Amino acid sequence: MGGVLGRIVGYVYAVDGVSFDVYAGKTMGLVGESGCGKTTVGRCVLRLIEPTAGRILFDGVNLIDLKEEEMRKLRRQMQIVFQDPYASLNPRWLIKDIVGEPLVVNNVVSSKAEMEERALKLLTKVGLSADHLNRFPHEFSGGQRQRIGIARALALNPRFLVLDEPTSSLDVSVQAQTLNILKDLQSELALTYLFISHNLSVIKHMSDTIGVMYLGRIVEIGSKDELFREPIHPYTKALLSAIPIPDPEKKKERMILGGDVPSPANPPKGCRFSPRCPNANERCNEQPEMTEVTKGHFVACYTAQ
């Protein structure tokens, strides 16, 4: 944070002490309310934002230790699909140039004709056609633009994709189409996903393992089935209680949280959720460590242990 005359008066850590594993061919879901640090985690994993501490291991290689040229080569294997399909595509470029740019920059193709051929194959994978190659982004709907973003991310045959809320700005019907495309591509290409979203229903549909974030920290991690069946952390329980039920006759107890989310510039001492937690006690003034409650199910909460 900046003070008077540009003096530094404090630091804000958007993400603090976050640790998780993403297994090959699987999807790790990261869920939490807006501003909790999900997107920062995704960008730090790819070093689009430089972390100030910690390790990021990819096949045993610590990305933090890599120099710029080494990182650039390795980045072929990891790509990102951004949240906003309207802002992530250059409005002045044709679609063939947008999708083909990674191929040109990385010297994968030797001619423009080869680039266009590869771009067409990529567009076909996401349900578009040759008619779309010579159009501009403004000529497409939001769902089509997001497909173009996915095609661009696949250009260099990556193994790992960070999907930063890829359906949050789309209509519900278009969301389903996009999610099905991502599922099919994962199966076909053996892709590994870090899927970031605030939508629990989408996270449940896409993920194998889910991490729940609150104010820059992960408070619970578990398999999809375990976390939805037996949530442990009070914040996770509150999130799950907010999911609408399609049956109007079936009653569901809603857990309402009091207070507001604290400022990340001045987080609470100890457990960051404690000011809003209905079960908080004096022990919560100390930061709880992640503890394995059942196999593969971890929680950072004293009242749940």
Side-chain angles (χ1 to χ4, degrees), residues 2 21 33 41 43 54 62 65-66 88 92 98 101 103 116 121 142 175 188 194 224 238 266 270 273 278 282 296:
D21 297 314
E33 56 198 308
V41 169
R43 297 192 179 201
N62 187 3
D65 294 336
L66 298 183
S88 60
R92 296 181 178 85
I98 291 173
E101 182 191 18
L103 303 171
E116 292 184 13
K121 288 181 179 179
Q175 283 186 20
E188 178 187 349
L194 174 60
K224 169 181 66 178
N266 185 29
F273 185 64
E282 290 184 2

Side-chain angles (χ1 to χ4, degrees), residues 235-247:
Y235 179 62
T236 307
K237 292 179 180 179
L239 286 181
L240 295 182
S241 76
I243 300 177
I245 296 178
D247 184 358

Side-chain angles (χ1 to χ4, degrees), residues 22-24 56-63 74 77-78 159 192:
V22 186
Y23 296 100
I56 304 167
L57 299 179
F58 185 85
D59 279 348
V61 176
N62 187 3
L63 303 186
L74 191 59
Q77 300 182 43
M78 53 185 79
R159 297 159 54 201
T192 303

Side-chain angles (χ1 to χ4, degrees), residues 7-84:
R7 290 181 300 173
I8 296 175
V9 296
Y11 293 94
V12 177
Y13 295 100
V15 176
D16 189 15
V18 167
S19 179
F20 58 87
D21 297 314
V22 186
Y23 296 100
K26 302 293 184 180
T27 299
M28 169 71 185
L30 209 54
V31 68
E33 56 198 308
S34 297
C36 71
K38 306 184 299 296
T39 294
T40 300
V41 169
R43 297 192 179 201
C44 281
V45 166
L46 302 181
R47 275 186 61 187
L48 297 179
I49 296 175
E50 290 291 346
T52 54
R55 297 186 304 159
I56 304 167
L57 299 179
F58 185 85
D59 279 348
V61 176
N62 187 3
L63 303 186
I64 303 297
D65 294 336
L66 298 183
K67 296 179 180 178
E68 184 176 343
E69 180 62 23
E70 296 172 318
M71 187 63 209
R72 191 177 71 83
K73 291 179 180 178
L74 191 59
R75 194 169 273 130
R76 290 188 182 193
Q77 300 182 43
M78 53 185 79
Q79 295 292 318
I80 185 170
V81 176
F82 295 98
Q83 176 179 352
D84 187 355

Side-chain angles (χ1 to χ4, degrees), residues 198-237:
H198 65 272
N199 188 319
L200 283 159
S201 299
V202 169
I203 283 285
K204 184 178 182 181
H205 176 68
M206 290 295 297
S207 305
D208 299 291
T209 304
I210 297 173
V212 180
M213 284 193 72
Y214 182 81
L215 204 64
R217 284 185 174 271
I218 291 183
V219 296
E220 186 167 358
I221 295 178
S223 69
K224 169 181 66 178
D225 295 334
E226 178 81 8
L227 193 131
F228 273 80
R229 184 177 64 249
E230 293 290 341
I232 298 175
H233 198 281
Y235 179 62
T236 307
K237 292 179 180 179

Side-chain angles (χ1 to χ4, degrees), residues 88-91 93-102 137 148 152:
S88 60
L89 304 179
N90 190 327
W93 284 21
L94 295 171
I95 300 307
K96 63 183 179 183
D97 297 317
I98 291 173
V99 176
E101 182 191 18
I148 294 165
R152 177 178 59 185

